[in-house]
Each structure stands twice: as structure tokens, then as C-alpha cells.
Amino acid sequence: MAPTDSATTPAAIAVEGLHKHFGNLEVLKGLDFEARHGEVISILGASGSGKSTFLRCLNLLELPSAGRLHVFGEEVRLKSTSNGLHIGDRKQLDRLRTQVAMVFQNFCLWQHMSVLDNLMEAPIHVQKRSRSEVRDEAEAMLVRVGLKERIKSYPAQLSGGQQQRAAIARALVMRPKALLFDEPTSALDPELVGEVLKVMRDLASEGRTMLIVTHEMAFARDVSNRILFLEQGRIAAQGSPKELFGGGANERFNKFISRFSEG
Ligand code: ADP
Ligand code: MG
């Protein structure tokens, strides 16, 4: 499915002038960005360029220091004070957060819960949905990611690839409108990367809105509609994979990707 036409629908996620600093360290230096519905965007950049901070601002795990943020047509209400922005509307924040699910490098599954309970926790306790409905959906999601047999297992009994697939299923049970992935395969042994990328490819082909921080260059090139290259807290290049990987970005991007093609 192709991303929606920008003229007719509001962006899925949009930021204007997004700044984030931690004390004196300015990590995001004024980002302007829009993700359309159904768009798959890979975010590339060196370590420390601000990729994680950017994703964390988009699902409101971090509050921006300045700027505006729209999530599915709603502007996030932030209060401006002398020491930056603060939450303006807690209820809105909680609601928008459930629309933008995040998958982390280290899975972040609850170790003391079975896989099934990991999936059911937030839909029941945060979204207040019925247990039976959530259970059916959780089981269906586990079948989808190939973990039907591991429903009663605990995270420690699973491989890294299985844990990450469970974490993706957990995100999906929340029925999010967008999915954010922060280096979802970076903690995995090389032989387990493919099974996680396969699940992500399937999600992308369904037309889901996805933002993916990754160092998997072949995946980024094949699956994304757009590539965003962050450098020192700024968007230094963006465009289609064809444009960017075809050498049409800038020297620094070319240099960055050349590191991944060497042996
Ligand atoms: P990336 O994901 O691209 O590696 P990050 O967004 O994690 O980059 O970090 C960008 C910079 O912000 C780094 O210098 C990092 O040390 C700093 N940083 C990130 N989170 C915090 C924090 N909570 N407090 C202080 N500094 C932080
Ligand atoms: Mg990071």
C-alpha cells in the first residue's frame, strides 16, 4: 500500500522546530519532519546523532525542550515555562502515547511474566479493554510473529529473536496507529536478525506507519519509502532510498553508508 497523499490527509506524525537539550547538551537542534500515513521511514546516523532522543520525543517518553508536535492530527498540548516545556494535558498525553508504540533494542519485556501476560498487561490495565478480547488478540498476534508454541514461556526461556518478536506482538496488541523501532535488531546475534526483519517487512507491506532506527542498510534500502539521515541533531539528508543510496545525498551520507559495505 502506498503512503497517503499529503494534500488530502493530515500527517501521521509531524514536528516543527523540535529541540531537545539535556542540561547544556543540545541533542536535537530544530527538526522539521512529517511522516505520512502508511509511510515507512528509516532513520540512519552515527551513534550519538540523536536518533533515540528523536524517537523518544515522538512517543512522548521525552518532552521536547521547544517546538511543536502533532500526532494523528492532534497537537500535543505543552505548557511553556521559563525552564522549557511541560505536560499541558496528562490525559491527552496518555491517550496519544498508546497510539504510537515503541519497540526497543533490548526488548523491555517483563521478565516475571509469561509471554502472553506481557502482551495482555497494557491493553487490560492501561486501555481498560476486556480480558477475553485481549487474550484472543494476543494469541492471534503471537501466531502472527511465529510464537504460538511459546505463549506460556518466560522471556528468559526465549532467544533474543523470539523475545523481540514477542515485543513486536506486544506493541501490536495495543492497536497503535504508528510503530517506532529503536535499533530492534542491534542486540541480536547475527543469525537471529533475519527473523525479526521478516516480521517488520510484513508489517511494512500492510501499510503501517513505521519509523525505524536501524543499521541494517539493505533492509532500510529495500523496505523504506524514505530515509532520514541525522547528523549531530539535525536532518542532514532525506529522500527516497533510490535517491540517497544512489549517491544523490551528500558526501557525509555516502561516507556513512560506505562503512557498512566494507566487509
Ligand atoms: P543515538 O540514538 O543517535 O545514538 P541519542 O539520542 O541516544 O543518540 O543521544 C544523543 C546524545 O544525547 C548523546 O550525546 C547522549 O549521550 C545524549 N543523551 C541522550 N539521552 C540523554 C539523557 N537522558 N541525559 C543526558 N544526555 C543524554
Ligand atoms: Mg540510539
Side-chain angles (χ1 to χ4, degrees):
M1 201 155 70
T4 51
D5 178 0
S6 56
T8 51
T9 342
I13 296 175
V15 300
E16 278 167 59
L18 179 71
H19 286 259
K20 178 68 185 177
H21 53 77
F22 296 106
N24 289 331
L25 181 68
E26 196 179 20
V27 175
L28 300 178
K29 298 172 182 165
L31 273 60
D32 295 302
F33 163 82
E34 271 191 16
R36 320 263 9 127
H37 290 257
E39 205 173 11
V40 177
I41 299 176
S42 289
I43 301 169
L44 311 182
S47 174
S49 56
K51 305 179 300 295
S52 294
T53 304
F54 179 46
L55 279 196
R56 293 170 65 82
C57 285
L58 295 183
N59 97 328
L60 307 161
L61 285 171
E62 298 281 0
L63 285 186
S65 307
R68 298 170 68 164
L69 174 58
H70 287 81
V71 178
F72 295 98
E74 257 186 78
E75 176 158 9
V76 179
R77 286 192 276 281
L78 298 167
K79 265 195 314 226
S80 185
T81 69
S82 55
N83 65 347
L85 295 178
H86 295 270
I87 295 168
D89 181 342
R90 165 61 63 183
K91 276 195 174 150
Q92 184 204 32
L93 198 77
D94 290 343
R95 181 163 45 79
L96 293 181
R97 243 182 213 152
T98 66
Q99 299 185 1
V100 183
M102 183 112 159
V103 174
F104 300 91
Q105 182 175 341
N106 294 314
F107 330 129
C108 296
L109 294 169
W110 288 293
Q111 296 298 314
H112 64 288
M113 287 184 190
S114 70
V115 166
L116 182 63
D117 287 340
N118 262 280
L119 267 67
M120 293 177 63
E121 176 71 15
I124 290 175
H125 292 107
V126 179
Q127 295 180 315
K128 313 283 184 204
R129 287 158 55 193
S130 90
R131 174 169 284 275
S132 64
E133 171 206 282
V134 170
R135 194 194 159 92
D136 289 349
E137 211 166 301
E139 287 186 9
M141 288 304 170
L142 287 169
V143 170
R144 238 204 104 153
V145 300
L147 288 176
K148 183 167 175 253
E149 313 302 328
R150 308 316 298 263
I151 197 159
K152 296 214 168 86
S153 301
Y154 284 78
Q157 299 169 317
L158 303 181
S159 72
Q162 289 172 329
Q163 290 188 58
Q164 192 59 298
R165 286 185 280 137
I168 293 171
R170 182 178 60 177
L172 294 172
V173 177
M174 300 283 286
R175 300 177 176 167
K177 293 184 179 172
L179 290 163
L180 312 181
F181 296 85
D182 193 358
E183 297 199 34
T185 60
S186 294
L188 301 179
D189 292 335
E191 72 272 21
L192 303 178
V193 168
E195 63 192 59
V196 172
L197 293 182
K198 181 181 179 303
V199 169
M200 293 171 63
R201 265 176 211 272
D202 288 347
L203 294 172
S205 70
E206 281 178 358
R208 291 181 184 264
T209 307
M210 294 165 65
L211 272 66
I212 307 162
V213 173
T214 184
H215 296 297
E216 293 293 330
M217 293 300 145
F219 176 83
R221 200 179 50 219
D222 295 346
V223 175
S224 320
N225 304 110
R226 183 153 45 116
I227 306 278
L228 220 59
F229 176 51
L230 284 196
E231 200 176 44
Q232 296 178 20
R234 291 198 170 87
I235 298 174
Q238 64 175 311
S240 70
K242 210 171 163 187
E243 284 164 349
L244 264 66
F245 284 97
N250 58 41
E251 274 311 305
R252 296 189 309 279
F253 180 76
N254 296 342
K255 201 166 161 199
F256 172 77
I257 56 168
S258 72
R259 283 193 256 149
F260 293 86
S261 49
E262 293 158 5

